[in-house]
Amino acid sequence: MPLTRWLAEYAWLPDRAEPTRDVLIEATDGRLTAVTPLTVDGPPTAGVEVLGDAVRLPGLTVPGLANAHSHAFHRALRGRTHDGRGDFWSWRSLMYAIATRLDPDTYLALARAVYAEMALAGITCVGEFHYLHHGPGGTPYDDPNAMSAALVEAAAHAGVRLTLLDTAYLTGGVDGAPLTGPQRRFGDGDALRWAARVDAFRPADEHVRLGAAIHSVRAVPAEQLATVAGWADRNGLPLHVHLSEQPAENDACRAVHGCTPTRLLADHGVLGPHTTAVHATHPTAADVALLGDSRTRVCVCPTTERDLADGVGPVRRMADAGSPLSLGSDSHAVVDLFEEARALEMDERLRTRRRGHFTPVELLTAATVGGHAALGWGDAGRLAVGQRADLVTVRLDSARTAGVPPVGAFFAATAADVTSVVVDGRPVVDGGRHLTVDVPTELRDSIAAVTAKEDS
């Protein structure tokens, strides 16, 4: 790949409290080779005017955003579940109804559109928490990893990187109840058979990496937690787990095991720097200390957590205790990492009735470096030499951002303000349009294919 150069009107460079004006960014073979500010304490230098071969990036350019927690098929629920009463558990039955209708072909079409929607929002890497493994009734496809392969292909078409977090989902409750109904599609029988299936899937594509996930303490028996965690550790892969998303999960774990889910995970060797706890909405003070002391990462999904009435977790306390933060769009009620980022601050204000908990740099870090690290891409998330050439440019002249200083973009911009996205040096979005996918049309058609019977 030849040398490519971009001239960013503003770029948010590492270790800077606010964006820098007039930055020349150069890349070869998908890696940043030079990041050079051209303005120092004054107007642009004359050099800015003669960079005729550089692609202009008007607005604010930030590193690629990382969506650390996705369930792609949940996107089909948007607009179909928001007007009813109930809670997480009643919503879950609607989610299962979508899961029953998917096969490798329809999932490929849906995920391709969803990942392309993410690209339009500035997301260059996604972590897919993938547990929809088998056919109806739990019968494996001829290729037991056909659904995984569909997700890998979908990400390639959309132009984003993927960490496929293959998820162990073995039981229907903390008490070990068997999987029933649509849940049977998720299960492999036990952790050893889960590991054997995942071992057989080794995609060679450069845009994908594997990871592992424990769905929750509800879905993996205590005596099998170490098997999943050990598989991830031996392979040097990230491990994710839904944790304390609901008070009912905590109560059930205490009733069966006499401890919180966090304590159970700690006792079975699950916590650590390569593990990401997703949600962590209802931890105790002791849980916060366990997560922080072990440097376990925490992925927060604010738009989903409020959509499902989950609650607001003690995110600032978890960060202060030592847990690096990342962000996810989870059920995709909203696909907007700017919204997820500022919700860290806004939700903390609601919880504490005080302002000023997270700096703009901390929000940027959670949306970029934090997410990439949680997904096993330690070479992405910063505009620095040697990093992957992922560039996301946000316009500063929209109705939302006009008059806003660049440092305030995370409190003003939305996904609709993204104009340009480059992934590994390759343009994916230009002028606010995806270069290869007609996103609205493909979303409409792929969702119709799995909801037509329901809506008729």
Side-chain angles (χ1 to χ4, degrees), residues 377-396:
W377 301 86
D379 56 353
R382 298 186 302 136
L383 297 181
V385 172
Q387 291 275 291
R388 290 176 176 270
D390 297 344
L391 311 176
V392 173
T393 303
V394 178
R395 60 186 298 183
L396 296 176

Side-chain angles (χ1 to χ4, degrees), residues 4 11 20 34 37 44 141 174 207 216 228 245 268 276 382 419 423 427-428:
T4 305
T20 299
Y141 292 104
V174 180
H207 76 286
S216 60
V228 180
E245 184 176 3
H268 290 273
T276 297
R382 298 186 302 136
T419 57
V423 183
V428 174

Side-chain angles (χ1 to χ4, degrees), residues 32-341:
L32 297 179
T33 54
V35 180
T36 309
L38 300 179
T39 301
V40 181
D41 297 329
T45 63
V48 174
E49 302 302 325
V50 299
L51 295 172
D53 63 333
V55 177
R56 262 56 174 185
L57 298 176
L60 171 64
T61 296
V62 299
L65 309 180
N67 185 351
H69 190 69
S70 163
H71 301 294
F73 75 92
H74 290 190
R75 174 62 176 82
L77 295 168
R78 187 187 295 178
R80 289 177 164 78
T81 64
H82 307 301
D83 59 344
R85 294 181 178 273
D87 55 14
F88 169 85
W89 307 101
S90 56
W91 169 88
R92 190 175 70 161
S93 65
L94 300 172
M95 179 267 287
Y96 284 164
I98 296 295
T100 63
R101 299 189 180 102
L102 287 163
D103 58 38
D105 291 334
T106 55
Y107 205 9
L108 169 59
L110 176 58
R112 167 187 158 104
V114 174
Y115 294 156
E117 180 185 5
M118 292 184 197
L120 286 177
I123 293 164
T124 57
C125 184
V126 57
E128 184 64 34
F129 199 100
H130 169 52
Y131 53 82
L132 185 50
H133 301 306
H134 304 299
T139 302
Y141 292 104
D142 291 340
D143 173 3
N145 289 297
M147 296 294 258
S148 297
L151 293 168
V152 170
E153 184 177 352
H157 290 176
V160 300
R161 291 193 303 277
L162 172 73
T163 296
L164 186 72
L165 299 162
D166 197 295
T167 304
Y169 196 132
L170 308 174
T171 58
V174 180
D175 59 358
L179 300 177
T180 60
Q183 290 179 328
R184 290 196 291 267
R185 298 193 67 177
F186 311 156
D188 288 295
D190 58 39
L192 289 176
R193 280 179 279 183
W194 166 84
R197 178 181 55 75
V198 185
D199 271 329
F201 187 64
R202 285 291 185 270
D205 312 73
E206 292 184 358
H207 76 286
V208 63
R209 292 181 180 174
L210 292 182
I214 293 166
H215 179 273
S216 60
V217 299
R218 293 181 283 111
V220 177
E223 67 274 10
Q224 298 186 51
L225 292 170
T227 301
V228 180
W231 182 89
D233 184 61
R234 286 191 303 276
N235 288 281
L237 302 177
L239 174 67
H240 288 219
V241 55
H242 287 140
L243 180 64
S244 292
E245 184 176 3
Q246 289 289 325
E249 177 183 302
N250 292 355
D251 294 343
C253 192
R254 287 190 181 98
V256 174
H257 299 293
C259 64
T260 66
T262 303
R263 179 77 262 177
L264 187 69
L265 295 178
D267 289 347
H268 290 273
V270 175
L271 303 185
H274 298 295
T275 297
T276 297
V278 181
H279 302 304
T281 309
H282 301 282
T284 65
D287 292 339
V288 171
L290 282 171
L291 293 170
D293 290 347
S294 62
R295 297 299 183 263
T296 298
R297 299 174 180 276
V298 171
C299 176
V300 190
C301 307
T303 63
T304 292
E305 288 150 10
R306 69 184 181 220
D307 179 51
L308 300 184
D310 287 343
V312 176
V315 182
R316 182 71 261 180
R317 284 199 287 120
M318 289 189 287
D320 290 342
S323 291
L325 300 180
S326 57
L327 299 167
S329 62
D330 194 355
S331 67
H332 314 309
V334 176
V335 174
D336 189 337
L337 264 287
F338 299 99
E339 172 66 16
E340 305 292 351

